[in-house]
């Protein structure tokens, strides 16, 4: 997926502005070049293709994506604001490392934020609105079955975003989305997530939707907490 055409030892070189970069150019799906590059870089982060601790230069990534360094730098500035990378003047951008403790803290904060909201929604949202979320659940299942980790991450966020939008609070949706995105970044050295794990995670979305439709509050709370803990 990402690579430079060098031998494996060269690709492991750290602290260089030309560290390992995406091997395949991601297709342009949007009119905004900056937005397209940002999407590609976010997908590479989720997929573990941008390695924590390594430094990537704007020109090198721009060459790989077939664009100038400017939209890459702009996209990297956004990732820096999200806490994914740090800017190194005259060198590039280092992908930040995170710990299992940080991941656990994110899960705790997400639960504190979303569990009460989902319990309230389970009591008040009509069944027809929940039924309208079935395509979002199906999208997570399809991405999981294909083993598409970046695609699954996007579908996962889309489902949770659709649920929280029913609360009618845009600030809540934005904050939850940011926490969710951070929780999806892999830990350094962690093995790639297996397809079976994605399928199991997608099944939790389906179970959660059924519990929300049934207004089964204890099951909703249990499923959300377990989902965040195992994400």
């Amino acid at each position: 997926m990402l690579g430079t055409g060098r031998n494996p030892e060269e690709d492991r070189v750290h602290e260089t502005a030309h560290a390992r970069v995406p091997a395949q150019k991601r297709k342009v799906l949007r009119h905004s070049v900056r937005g397209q590059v940002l999407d590609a870089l976010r997908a590479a982060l989720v997929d573990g293709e941008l390695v924590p601790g390594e430094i990537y230069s704007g020109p090198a990534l721009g060459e790989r994506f077939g664009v100038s360094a400017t939209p890459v730098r702009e996209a990297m500035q956004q990732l820096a604001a999200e806490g994914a990378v740090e800017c190194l003047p005259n060198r590039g951008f280092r992908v930040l490392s995170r710990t299992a403790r940080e991941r656990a803290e994110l899960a705790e904060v997400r639960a504190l934020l979303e569990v009460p909201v989902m319990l309230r929604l389970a009591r008040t949202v009509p069944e027809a609105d929940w039924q309208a979320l079935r395509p979002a659940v199906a999208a997570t299942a399809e991405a999981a079955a294909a083993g598409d980790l970046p695609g699954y991450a996007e579908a996962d966020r889309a489902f949770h975003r659709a649920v929280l939008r029913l609360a009618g609070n845009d600030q809540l949706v934005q904050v939850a989305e940011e926490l969710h995105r951070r929780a999806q970044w892999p830990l350094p050295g962690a093995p790639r997530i297996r397809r079976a794990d994605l399928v199991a995670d997608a099944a939790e979305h389906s179970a959660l939707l059924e519990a929300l439709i049934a207004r089964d509050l204890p099951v909703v709370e249990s499923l959300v907490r377990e989902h965040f803990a195992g994400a």
Side-chain angles (χ1 to χ4, degrees):
M1 297 185 67
L2 292 187
T4 62
R6 299 193 298 261
N7 63 52
E9 292 185 355
E10 290 176 328
D11 275 347
R12 295 304 304 162
V13 173
H14 288 253
E15 299 299 314
T16 172
H18 292 281
R20 186 163 59 88
V21 296
Q24 293 183 1
K25 298 177 183 177
R26 298 185 183 274
K27 295 181 180 180
V28 178
L29 299 178
R30 305 194 322 189
H31 294 297
S32 168
V33 175
R34 174 188 175 277
Q36 169 245 313
V37 173
L38 180 59
D39 286 347
L41 291 172
R42 282 173 169 167
L45 279 169
V46 171
D47 219 15
E49 298 165 351
L50 292 179
V51 180
E54 290 195 7
I55 299 174
Y56 299 86
S57 75
L61 287 170
E63 180 179 358
R64 181 60 57 183
F65 292 136
V67 299
S68 70
T70 299
V72 174
R73 292 193 181 102
E74 292 174 347
M76 280 294 195
Q77 291 288 345
Q78 176 61 36
L79 291 178
E82 295 174 3
V85 304
E86 65 175 330
C87 302
L88 302 176
N90 302 318
R91 298 179 67 190
F93 306 86
R94 178 187 287 120
V95 179
L96 295 177
S97 297
R98 52 200 44 84
T99 66
R101 179 187 176 91
E102 290 171 333
R103 178 71 67 81
E105 289 174 348
L106 281 169
E108 181 179 4
V109 174
R110 290 184 68 200
L112 288 171
L113 182 67
E114 295 191 35
V115 167
V117 174
M118 289 199 185
L119 290 176
R120 173 166 61 85
L121 293 176
R123 292 191 294 266
T124 59
V125 171
E127 180 179 344
D129 289 347
W130 292 126
Q131 294 290 353
L133 299 188
R134 289 199 182 278
V137 171
T140 66
E142 290 171 5
D148 179 3
L149 183 53
Y152 181 79
E154 184 174 347
D156 183 22
R157 291 196 312 276
F159 169 72
H160 284 268
R161 186 166 60 244
V163 171
L164 294 179
R165 277 179 176 164
L166 295 173
N169 187 326
D170 291 339
Q171 298 303 313
L172 166 68
V173 174
Q174 292 177 18
V175 171
E177 173 92 359
E178 176 66 16
L179 293 171
H180 196 166
R181 191 184 299 281
R182 289 173 181 252
Q184 291 176 330
W185 299 335
L187 297 177
R192 180 177 173 79
I193 297 176
R194 301 174 304 167
R195 180 180 303 184
D197 295 326
L198 293 180
V199 171
D201 198 71
E204 293 177 0
H205 292 140
S206 179
L208 174 59
L209 183 58
E210 296 303 328
L212 288 166
I213 292 173
R215 299 193 173 187
D216 191 333
L217 303 189
V219 172
V220 168
E221 180 171 2
S222 177
L223 285 172
V224 175
R225 292 188 184 279
E226 291 176 5
H227 186 66
F228 289 167

